[in-house]
Amino acid sequence: MQRQFGLPKNVAIRQADDHGGIEIAEAHGAAAAIAMEVRMRVSACPWLCGKTPDAIIVGKPMGKVFGHQEIERAIERYAVELGAGIGERLIDFKMRQRMIGREQHIQCRQPCRGDTQAFFLEQIFGRRIHVQHCCMKSWTEESPSTTIRPRFLSPSFPMSARLLLKPGKERSLFRRHPWLFAGSVASLEGRARPGDTVDIMDGEKVLAKAAWSPSSQIRARVWTFDADETVDNAFFKRRVAAAVVRRQALPELQKQNGLRLIHAESDGLPGVIADQYGDLIVIQLTSAGADKWRSAIVDALVKATGCARIYERSDSEVRKLEGLEPTTGWAYGEAPSNDPIIEEHGVKMAVDYAGGHKTGFYLDQRDNRRFARELAAGRRVLNCFCYTGGFSLQALAGDAREVVSIDSSGPALATAQRNLELNSGLDASKCEWREADVFQSLRDMHKQGEKFDLVILDPPKFAPSAAHADRAARAYKDINLHGLKLLNPGGLLMTYSCSGGIGLELFQSIVAGAARDAGVTARIVKRLQGAADHPVDLAFPEGEYLKGLLVQAD
Ligand code: SAH
């Protein structure tokens, strides 16, 4: 098919093959034509989002093409004009490639093999670089994975940056713990930018490949402990697909239309959270490495689930520790006309994915909400930190006598109200919503002599890390103490901590201290945890952030 690009009359470019590579139909004026065409494609390239590519590779045309050097010079001039800079290297290997520029966005014009390009780029830049073909049809085509091994390497090529450890600091990696703290790092050999994949070394052996995060105390997060595994698009495709399949294997998860698909470290994807609500997935990327591989993760999710939309809610505070700006918006597809509605144990819940907390909904409490429903029959229930009413509506569905729900967030309570309306079978007259501070409300209710048969305490994360544990412990003790005081004899307290910085033992001792100070004799009747779509990698106990106790008072 002839394609005209508004070029001088004597030049025509036609699409030559399925890769969208181009062939010169008429030699005369070809250099200018190609340069112009590259320019056009760069500016139209959606994944560059209007940004300047930092480098352009020009593969040497396979056939004999008149004016090849002219073409290169024209593109070179264009690169300079773009400010892409020139760091030229010529490499001889099957195909000769000319490198212009230095950095990571690569515009690749020739339909030469992606793995060869990827290989060269990795050697030159010391890390894996995403190569996108500059083809009409394949903007979203992923680059083939590199299978060429370093035996083709000239020794002068730098390898991936290497992270050397202080003596003894490799031990946690032997246990397959995926975090490497700043205090364990002796030095970094070679260049690495935030999010780049570096080799963690034990002598001359590669122990792990990890995402480099120079501004975080967690200096590197391991992608893989397999020295032979390449961290590339195909890697993310495998890991994401495995996470999805893992959930499909569990019957209780198969029927959920609200599901955590990726639970970060515990799914082998540090810093990556993905929650599915019907045909919409919300992702949250919280580490430099995850941020770097955004498009690979999004592509992999689309492929693994066939979902129509992916929204990014990377606005968590923890991104600051990684030197990352907040990022929100559509990563794939467009906004649906309404918020998605999921169904949990037969109760409909609208998910405010763009304005709500985290990714919009707390899927981790799914099992515990069902348990609260079972306990609620005939009871007067107090749901503290109710958010959009998850526990409250389940308690109502479980025939609670009355449900009082407290949260300090007006928008969350508005969604809770909406959720109640979505479920016409529930008796709204038994429900009371209070926009208030729980700490104060518990005291006020005690003064007013209010009593409950089931008190639920599901507060926000008081201790994001161990450094906040002391202050958080006081806050946990306070709400548990005052919550226990509100119980009728034989009443139940369902109490949680979702703080990574507070372990189960510490949490239990805090609740014990609260009971002592409240003058209540109570016993643990059940230990509670997150749902199965929030698995805990055995090598990563930190993954068990959500812990709960069901306590029965005398
Ligand atoms: N249990 C909920 C999730 C709770 S998230 C569920 O199952 O969906 C924690 C909630 O605590 C948030 O909605 C937040 O708005 C609320 N919150 C935080 N601090 C609070 C305070 N001091 N008083 C009342 N609510 C508070």
Side-chain angles (χ1 to χ4, degrees):
M1 189 185 70
Q2 288 279 315
R3 291 187 86 114
Q4 297 292 337
F5 292 108
L7 303 170
K9 267 205 200 97
N10 58 345
V11 177
I13 294 178
R14 73 183 167 85
Q15 202 158 350
D17 56 36
D18 270 357
H19 304 293
I22 52 172
E23 213 174 69
I24 316 298
E26 234 178 298
H28 186 63
I34 291 185
M36 192 184 293
E37 205 228 16
V38 168
R39 175 189 299 247
M40 195 185 74
R41 289 185 182 188
V42 168
S43 60
C45 173
W47 60 267
L48 277 173
C49 308
K51 278 181 273 168
T52 302
D54 302 302
I56 297 177
I57 320 172
V58 185
K60 186 183 170 195
M62 311 272 193
K64 199 173 165 212
V65 176
F66 173 80
H68 176 53
Q69 285 177 353
E70 269 181 75
I71 296 170
E72 286 190 351
R73 273 197 293 277
I75 293 172
E76 213 167 286
R77 277 198 299 279
Y78 172 54
V80 175
E81 195 185 310
L82 280 173
I86 298 186
E88 180 184 327
R89 290 181 205 226
L90 288 171
I91 310 143
D92 271 310
F93 178 76
K94 276 190 194 164
M95 214 173 295
R96 178 187 271 187
Q97 307 237 338
R98 172 168 284 222
M99 305 293 310
I100 303 169
R102 309 139 291 155
E103 289 302 339
Q104 108 216 49
H105 292 299
I106 304 295
Q107 194 75 11
C108 179
R109 212 220 96 238
Q110 187 67 20
C112 55
R113 284 173 52 82
D115 54 0
T116 313
Q117 292 159 0
F119 173 73
F120 282 140
L121 292 168
E122 188 170 2
Q123 303 322 314
I124 289 165
F125 295 121
R127 64 194 159 81
R128 187 78 189 159
I129 282 161
H130 189 66
V131 180
Q132 191 102 11
H133 285 262
C134 175
C135 303
M136 298 305 267
K137 282 191 193 166
S138 55
W139 287 122
T140 55
E141 189 180 272
E142 60 186 331
S143 70
S145 61
T146 305
T147 48
I148 304 167
R149 304 249 49 96
R151 64 196 158 90
F152 291 107
L153 261 184
S154 138
S156 60
F157 282 122
M159 300 292 290
S160 299
R162 290 151 47 114
L163 205 59
L164 310 186
L165 303 182
K166 290 183 183 160
K169 296 297 183 185
E170 61 290 328
R171 266 184 239 131
S172 69
L173 294 162
F174 288 149
R175 289 196 304 270
R176 302 217 149 199
H177 191 278
W179 289 352
L180 194 72
F181 287 93
S184 304
V185 175
S187 64
L188 179 76
E189 273 183 3
R191 281 178 305 160
R193 294 190 150 210
D196 283 353
T197 305
V198 296
D199 290 341
I200 302 179
M201 307 303 294
D202 177 25
E204 277 310 299
K205 236 177 70 199
V206 176
L207 267 184
K209 296 185 178 185
W212 175 238
S213 189
S215 61
S216 169
Q217 274 309 300
I218 304 172
R219 225 19 84 87
R221 291 170 196 257
V222 173
W223 289 126
T224 177
F225 288 98
D226 178 354
D228 292 327
E229 191 170 24
T230 304
V231 180
D232 57 6
N233 288 359
F235 168 87
F236 288 95
K237 209 166 144 191
R238 286 195 300 277
R239 287 278 163 105
V240 169
V244 170
V245 167
R246 212 168 279 144
R247 282 148 180 84
Q248 283 162 1
L250 297 175
E252 58 174 304
L253 297 183
Q254 280 167 7
K255 49 181 187 269
Q256 304 300 336
N257 64 352
L259 190 67
R260 173 150 297 190
L261 294 175
I262 302 175
H263 190 45
E265 277 79 354
S266 291
D267 277 306
L269 290 166
V272 184
I273 296 287
D275 288 341
Q276 181 163 24
Y277 306 114
D279 76 347
L280 185 155
I281 292 176
V282 183
I283 55 167
Q284 188 168 71
L285 308 176
T286 58
S287 66
D291 196 75
K292 188 117 197 159
W293 287 98
R294 172 180 290 104
S295 68
I297 293 162
V298 168
D299 284 357
L301 274 166
V302 172
K303 284 206 176 80
T305 64
C307 86
R309 316 160 205 282
I310 299 187
Y311 188 76
E312 179 169 3
R313 273 295 301 273
S314 299
D315 52 0
S316 153
E317 283 289 303
V318 295
R319 276 175 71 92
K320 281 191 193 149
L321 304 176
E322 300 269 327
L324 300 168
E325 294 292 324
T327 304
T328 55
W330 289 98
Y332 180 78
E334 291 167 3
S337 39
N338 293 307
D339 281 348
I341 294 172
I342 59 165
E343 204 163 298
E344 198 179 73
H345 320 307
V347 172
K348 294 191 179 70
M349 301 292 291
V351 178
D352 180 6
Y353 60 91
H357 296 169
K358 304 217 278 190
T359 67
F361 193 71
Y362 291 89
L363 292 164
D364 52 357
Q365 290 285 28
R366 185 191 308 111
D367 295 355
N368 296 321
R369 286 190 285 253
R370 184 181 48 208
F371 188 44
R373 175 185 183 143
E374 288 165 10
L375 295 172
R379 289 195 155 104
R380 183 168 195 242
V381 178
L382 173 64
N383 180 14
C384 296
F385 310 97
C386 68
Y387 188 49
T388 58
F391 279 100
S392 312
L393 268 56
Q394 292 298 338
L396 269 189
D399 261 337
R401 181 156 46 89
E402 190 190 341
V403 182
V404 176
S405 308
I406 307 176
D407 202 284
S408 55
S409 159
L413 287 171
T415 307
Q417 195 67 48
R418 227 170 99 209
N419 287 337
L420 186 58
E421 284 157 21
L422 283 175
N423 294 277
S424 52
L426 300 180
D427 185 352
S429 70
K430 290 182 178 171
C431 226
E432 188 192 329
W433 306 98
R434 297 182 189 164
E435 184 175 337
D437 172 49
V438 165
F439 291 85
Q440 190 56 47
S441 297
L442 291 173
R443 287 171 167 78
D444 294 345
M445 283 188 282
H446 181 58
K447 270 192 213 137
Q448 288 151 13
E450 286 209 52
K451 288 287 179 193
F452 295 88
D453 308 301
L454 171 61
V455 171
I456 301 163
L457 297 173
D458 182 24
K461 204 189 288 178
F462 290 146
S465 72
H468 306 83
D470 276 357
R471 231 182 84 216
R474 283 196 291 279
Y476 284 117
K477 180 161 180 194
D478 191 87
I479 53 171
N480 281 282
L481 192 161
H482 292 97
L484 281 162
K485 280 188 179 176
L486 292 178
L487 285 179
N488 276 321
L492 295 166
L493 172 71
M494 206 178 219
T495 181
Y496 296 95
S497 161
C498 61
S499 294
I502 303 271
L504 178 59
E505 253 179 67
L506 176 56
F507 184 55
Q508 186 172 321
S509 76
I510 292 169
V511 177
R516 206 170 42 240
D517 289 7
V520 173
T521 305
R523 55 211 87 240
I524 296 167
V525 288
K526 198 173 171 70
R527 292 177 193 281
L528 307 162
Q529 58 182 18
D533 47 348
H534 296 62
V536 181
D537 183 335
L538 285 169
F540 182 66
E542 293 88 339
E544 192 166 11
Y545 66 98
L546 180 64
K547 46 231 142 253
L549 299 171
L550 179 68
V551 168
Q552 188 170 36
D554 277 0

